[in-house]
Amino acid sequence: MKKIEAIIRKSKYRVVKEALHEVGVNFFSYWDVTGIGNEKEGHVYRGVSYSTSDIQRRYLSIVVNDDFEEATIQAILKSAATGEVGDGKIFVSDIKEVYRIRTGDKGGDTLR
């Protein structure tokens, strides 16, 4: 099993969610987060300078069986990309075990 964590633009969340549903990923958690990015310059809008060092993003946490790993990653990559700096990152790590609290069941079948 894999844990796939993605930090994406908030504006791309709906498209990413739909792409994940299309490949069979129907459950995940998400949070609104603020991060510090590589972009150091501010933006000027109507004569007012705004800092862009604090970036609003959405953080997705998805646990999938190994056979869903590549499809999940590709769905995020294709749907979250704008081609601009700040599109986000994807992190993949191994999950040792999963338990369903209600029944005590364990293993990859609990993700279905």
Side-chain angles (χ1 to χ4, degrees):
M1 291 172 284
K2 302 293 183 190
K3 182 176 188 179
I4 300 171
E5 299 167 289
I7 301 171
I8 63 170
R9 296 175 185 272
K10 288 176 81 170
S11 62
K12 297 297 278 182
Y13 173 72
R14 180 178 295 252
V15 177
V16 171
K17 180 176 79 170
E18 290 170 3
L20 289 169
H21 286 305
E22 287 176 14
V23 297
V25 176
N26 295 309
F27 178 81
F28 59 89
S29 299
Y30 70 91
W31 300 265
D32 289 333
V33 296
T34 302
I36 305 289
N38 289 330
E39 190 172 333
K40 304 294 184 222
E41 299 176 12
H43 290 276
V44 176
Y45 178 73
R46 295 188 177 182
V48 178
S49 180
Y50 293 91
S51 171
T52 57
S53 62
D54 295 333
I55 303 169
Q56 299 293 311
R57 295 288 181 253
R58 189 143 288 165
Y59 180 95
L60 310 178
S61 178
I62 309 162
V63 178
V64 296
N65 285 310
D66 290 338
D67 54 335
F68 276 87
E69 177 185 5
E70 191 59 31
T72 303
I73 292 169
Q74 289 304 314
I76 297 168
L77 285 173
K78 290 176 183 173
S79 60
T82 66
E84 301 293 325
V85 172
D87 277 349
K89 298 278 191 284
I90 298 173
F91 307 94
V92 180
S93 54
D94 291 320
I95 295 293
K96 182 178 174 183
E97 193 62 80
V98 174
Y99 292 85
R100 179 176 286 131
I101 294 172
R102 177 176 52 87
T103 62
D105 294 344
K106 70 177 188 174
D109 286 342
T110 63
L111 298 176
R112 299 183 202 282

